[in-house]
């Protein structure tokens, strides 16, 4: 039984689709259709539909433009060798989306609606799921406030939508090429009591200038420490961070309300335990991390998230200097965890945790 009504939409011909799929970056191409639903305080959720991908018409006073009342998610649909298409732990995304929306004063979308929007869009757009190595159909569910009123209060009218983007590697290249990270001292991403645990555009808006600072310092990503003491490692602008010790202990900052709980982060913790590694979720001081990198105590550092999967960190930099991790090349534990995760996602290894769900 479908929940989102499939409307007619102009579809690009197969040759055009093939040409788009032959040259994929990340998040730059979109499929022909999108899922949409509307909510008003008076009527609740209604008009669930799958329609042609295209612009929204919004009042210039719409609350999202002024007060950034918005939340989003990110997940992928994976093609397996037999032609079937699967999603990975989307129920966890559905729950996180509810938490994010609650924090942003947005209405909650049920997990059933969230999963139906994803499954029914992917089923309609299955020809857009790329089949190359480490390619996927990246899905971006999002919700935004559209009440046309400048008074500051939660919107009584919102739209939820899912767009689908056939994608390759987030950082280009092979996907395992190390990235350099800049730890900023000037900017904070999230403060206690704020929105750090919610996946919302506002957190990203606050990270852009820090990202520019990172790029000005020759790094492709920015790392943040806590906003109170400016001592403890939190995460990157859009990825969680891990370090591995020379004796194979996997360390990641413990969750607080200033850290986004990644679906990839918790999968990595589980896969590390499965591999017999010790796992520590704890406070990690930036000085402990850089001193440990310099002394050889921390031999590997990696970032993880749905888009970037697991990406090794080659060099960690801050205002005091650069710290090359190990020999600057991807470490063995990083690569093994990455292989295990992608093998499960692409149907090449047994899914012992029930993380995968077949869509079509
Ligand atoms: C989305 C996101 C992550 C990674 O989460 P996944 O569920 O693994 O994709 C990490 N940090 C931030 C700030 C994020 O927005």
């Amino acid at each position: 039984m479908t929940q989102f009504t499939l409307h007619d939409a102009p579809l690009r011909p197969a040759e055009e689709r093939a040409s788009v799929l032959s040259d994929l970056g990340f998040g730059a191409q979109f499929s022909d259709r999108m899922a949409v639903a509307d909510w008003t305080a008076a009527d609740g959720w209604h008009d669930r539909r799958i329609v042609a991908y295209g612009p929204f018409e919004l009042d210039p006073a719409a609350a999202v433009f002024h007060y950034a009342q918005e939340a989003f998610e990110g997940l992928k649909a994976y093609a397996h060798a037999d032609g079937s298409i699967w999603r990975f732990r989307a129920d966890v995304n559905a729950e996180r989306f509810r938490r994010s929306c609650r924090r942003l004063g947005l209405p909650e979308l049920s997990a059933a609606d969230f999963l139906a929007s994803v499954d029914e869009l992917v089923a309609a757009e299955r020809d857009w799921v790329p089949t190359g190595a480490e390619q996927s159909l990246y899905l971006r569910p999002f919700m935004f406030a559209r009440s046309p009123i400048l008074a500051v209060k939660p919107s009584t009218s919102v739209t939820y939508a899912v767009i689908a983007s056939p994608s390759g590697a987030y950082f280009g290249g092979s996907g395992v090429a190390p990235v350099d990270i800049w730890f900023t001292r000037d900017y904070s991403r999230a403060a206690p009591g704020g929105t750090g645990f919610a996946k919302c555009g506002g957190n990203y808006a606050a990270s852009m200038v820090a990202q520019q600072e990172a790029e000005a310092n020759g790094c492709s990503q920015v790392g943040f420490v806590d906003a109170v003491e400016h001592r403890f490692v939190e995460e990157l602008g859009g990825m969680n961070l891990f370090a591995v010790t020379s004796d194979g202990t996997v360390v990641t900052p413990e969750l607080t309300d200033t850290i986004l709980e990644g679906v990839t982060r918790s999968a990595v913790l589980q896969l590390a335990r499965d591999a017999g590694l010790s796992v520590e979720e704890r406070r990690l001081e930036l000085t402990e991390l850089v001193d440990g990198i310099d002394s050889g105590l921390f031999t590997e550092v990696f970032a993880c998230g749905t888009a970037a999967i697991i990406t090794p960190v080659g060099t960690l930099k801050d205002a005091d200097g650069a710290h090359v991790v190990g020999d600057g090349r991807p470490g063995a534990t990083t690569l093994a965890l990455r292989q295990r995760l992608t093998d499960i996602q692409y149907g090449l290894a047994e899914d012992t945790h029930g993380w995968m769900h077949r869509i079509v």
Side-chain angles (χ1 to χ4, degrees):
M1 201 189 65
T2 58
Q3 296 185 36
F4 284 69
T5 307
L6 185 59
H7 290 252
D8 282 338
L11 305 180
R12 276 167 284 178
E15 317 82 75
E16 205 179 319
R17 187 171 61 235
S19 124
V20 169
L21 294 179
S22 71
D23 181 25
L24 292 176
F26 182 84
Q29 306 283 351
F30 299 94
S31 76
D32 288 328
R33 291 180 274 217
M34 61 183 182
V36 186
D38 295 313
W39 177 92
T40 58
D43 298 328
W45 287 107
H46 57 272
D47 209 4
R48 296 166 178 81
R49 58 202 188 270
I50 291 175
V51 295
Y53 180 95
F56 294 111
E57 188 166 299
L58 288 172
D59 194 289
V64 65
F65 293 137
H66 307 279
Y67 308 127
Q69 198 190 358
E70 185 268 0
F72 69 96
E73 268 302 325
L75 67 165
K76 289 172 168 174
Y78 304 87
H80 287 186
D82 65 358
S84 58
I85 298 170
W86 299 69
R87 55 173 159 80
F88 174 79
R89 305 187 73 200
D91 51 324
V92 183
N93 295 93
E95 273 315 310
R96 185 172 67 191
F97 193 51
R98 277 154 59 96
R99 286 201 300 278
S100 299
C101 289
R102 205 177 302 145
R103 178 63 183 82
L104 271 291
L106 290 162
E108 290 177 32
L109 184 77
S110 70
D113 272 336
F114 182 94
L115 296 174
S117 67
V118 164
D119 289 354
E120 293 175 28
L121 179 66
V122 171
E125 301 291 75
R126 58 180 304 166
D127 292 342
W128 284 97
V129 184
T131 53
E134 296 201 1
Q135 294 182 340
S136 60
L137 187 64
Y138 182 79
L139 300 159
R140 170 52 61 85
F142 59 108
M143 192 191 297
F144 57 90
R146 58 186 305 158
S147 289
I149 176 151
L150 296 180
V152 179
K153 58 183 181 188
S155 188
T156 55
S157 165
V158 317
T159 291
Y160 166 74
V162 188
I163 54 176
S165 175
S167 291
Y170 187 79
F171 289 112
S174 73
V176 291
V179 297
D180 292 347
I181 288 180
W182 169 258
F183 264 89
T184 179
R185 296 208 179 142
D186 297 336
Y187 302 106
S188 298
R189 191 191 81 92
T195 56
F197 69 91
K199 206 167 177 74
C200 65
N203 292 341
Y204 279 76
S207 76
M208 296 297 174
V209 68
Q211 175 70 24
Q212 286 175 329
E213 188 186 85
E215 285 168 20
N217 283 282
C219 294
S220 65
Q221 289 292 304
V222 61
F224 292 96
V225 290
D226 75 284
V228 177
E229 297 183 64
H230 306 288
R231 277 169 58 197
F232 299 101
V233 173
E234 297 216 311
E235 61 172 317
L236 308 186
M239 285 167 238
N240 295 116
L241 198 69
F242 282 77
V244 185
T245 66
S246 55
D247 67 357
T249 300
V250 173
V251 182
T252 195
E254 68 187 5
L255 293 175
T256 62
D257 69 350
T258 56
I259 294 182
L260 194 289
E261 182 174 4
V263 177
T264 318
R265 176 188 181 279
S266 63
V268 165
L269 288 171
Q270 183 62 53
L271 294 178
R273 287 189 196 100
D274 292 353
L277 302 170
S278 341
V279 165
E280 293 178 1
E281 292 178 75
R282 61 169 172 87
R283 294 178 110 190
L284 175 64
E285 274 203 62
L286 184 58
T287 52
E288 179 192 349
L289 181 61
V290 297
D291 291 350
I293 289 170
D294 291 345
S295 73
L297 179 71
F298 286 116
T299 48
E300 302 179 35
V301 176
F302 63 86
C304 73
T306 298
I309 317 177
I310 288 175
T311 299
V313 173
T315 302
L316 200 148
K317 288 190 199 171
D318 67 8
D320 289 337
H323 309 269
V324 178
V325 182
D327 60 5
R329 289 193 301 230
T333 302
T334 303
L335 291 176
L337 288 168
R338 189 180 194 285
Q339 190 70 46
R340 180 81 194 144
L341 178 63
T342 54
D343 280 353
I344 292 171
Q345 291 170 332
Y346 287 91
L348 303 172
E350 198 194 338
D351 169 28
T352 53
H353 298 289
W355 286 340
M356 303 302 294
H357 177 91
R358 183 171 176 175
I359 300 177
V360 283

